[in-house]
Amino acid sequence: MRNTVSSKMADKDKETGDKSNPGKKRERKVPSPPTRKALFFKNLFFLSLLGLVGIGLLASLSFDPQDLSDIDGYAEDSSALIPGGPDLANLLENAARNKNGVRITEEQINSYLRRTLIFEQEGWFKSFVSARGVWVRLQEDIVEVIIEREVWGKRHTISMLLQPEQTKQQDGRINTTVSRGKGKWGRTRVLNGFMLLTNSSFVSLRGAYSTETQQIWDMFRGRFQIKVSDGVLELSPPEQDLPGAPS
């Protein structure tokens, strides 16, 4: 019996001695540092995740829609009687041909859109998204094009801000550019990267009014000047023709 106890105590002392001896510790493998490829994909994953969170946040903000009651010609009820007004396509064509100035109000533009635009939601969104209308707000130097929808019974707005800029060249010609890099999801302003996600809707809208859009660009090539102010868009012809320009 004494020999058994002594043997167990000896074994225990031996184990204690092994643990206290640093020379007999097990060697731990140090993990190799991550490769550049692994770091790249890791950073890409986190950037993608951050981007999705940002898009989700902005998408939720788009359900905090703009107040459109300040727009001349806006109708909350899309089935309301559509008022009359000038045919803007003919108005622009005559102004370009005769080199006459033209003044178009915000109300005239929105009335024209209501009379001429067939705005319907297509695709698999059709079951829960309904179109309400397209509206234009004219502010100082900015034309805002707004698409209004209803998603699951909630109003939803997105818009694109168009900012025309003109510079006069030495030969008297006028160079016109239109900035499309900004817009709004709901009340919140967003930059070009996010606007690309909704760009297809505005491309379709531009295609529906390709005739009017082309007429305005023809006027710009004819040195018409544009001025956008609160509620009014004005196109002014050149004061005199350039030498050699066709009449």
Side-chain angles (χ1 to χ4, degrees), residues 8-233:
K8 288 183 178 180
M9 291 180 63
D11 292 339
K12 186 175 181 181
D13 290 339
K14 185 178 179 181
E15 290 177 3
T16 306
D18 290 342
K19 291 180 181 179
S20 60
N21 189 347
K24 292 187 178 182
K25 286 184 178 179
R26 292 184 179 180
E27 294 183 357
R28 295 184 180 180
K29 292 184 178 181
V30 179
S32 58
T35 63
R36 290 184 178 181
K37 186 176 182 180
L39 285 174
F40 170 78
F41 283 107
K42 182 179 179 181
N43 292 335
L44 182 62
F45 170 76
F46 283 115
L47 286 174
S48 301
L49 184 61
L50 184 62
L52 289 173
V53 171
I55 292 171
L57 177 60
L58 287 173
S60 66
L61 291 174
S62 66
F63 286 94
D64 179 23
Q66 291 193 52
D67 180 10
L68 306 180
S69 61
D70 64 308
I71 297 178
D72 294 338
Y74 172 72
E76 187 173 351
D77 182 5
S78 58
S79 63
L81 180 66
I82 301 175
D87 186 324
L88 297 188
N90 291 336
L91 192 66
L92 292 170
E93 182 182 2
N94 292 332
R97 183 175 59 249
N98 300 320
K99 294 188 177 179
N100 294 327
V102 60
R103 184 178 185 273
I104 306 174
T105 66
E106 186 176 273
E107 184 175 7
Q108 289 173 334
I109 294 174
N110 288 306
S111 173
Y112 183 72
L113 289 173
R114 290 184 63 197
R115 295 196 313 271
T116 58
L117 180 63
I118 301 175
F119 183 40
E120 296 179 347
Q121 184 67 45
E122 299 294 341
W124 68 280
F125 292 104
K126 188 175 181 179
S127 60
F128 57 88
V129 179
S130 60
R132 290 179 63 95
V134 174
W135 315 100
V136 170
R137 178 187 282 121
L138 300 178
Q139 299 172 303
E140 196 69 29
D141 299 326
I142 293 177
V143 178
E144 183 177 9
V145 182
I146 305 161
I147 297 177
E148 182 185 20
R149 295 185 176 97
E150 191 171 294
V151 182
W152 285 307
K154 295 183 179 181
R155 285 183 59 245
H156 174 279
T157 60
I158 57 173
S159 72
M160 178 177 287
L161 302 176
L162 306 177
Q163 188 169 5
E165 296 180 359
Q166 293 184 310
T167 55
K168 192 171 184 178
Q169 301 177 355
Q170 291 182 351
D171 61 358
R173 300 183 189 277
I174 296 176
N175 183 39
T176 304
T177 59
V178 179
S179 172
R180 303 180 179 89
K182 297 179 182 178
K184 293 180 183 178
W185 288 11
R187 301 172 188 264
T188 305
R189 284 205 178 200
V190 296
L191 299 178
N192 190 37
F194 293 103
M195 287 303 299
L196 292 175
L197 299 173
T198 56
N199 191 53
S200 60
S201 298
F202 295 98
V203 170
S204 299
L205 183 60
R206 184 175 60 189
Y209 289 94
S210 58
T211 299
E212 292 84 349
T213 303
Q214 186 60 49
Q215 287 169 340
I216 291 177
W217 278 108
D218 288 342
M219 295 172 80
F220 289 154
R221 281 189 283 271
R223 297 192 301 130
F224 274 71
Q225 297 184 50
I226 183 171
K227 180 182 178 182
V228 183
S229 55
D230 189 18
V232 178
L233 185 150

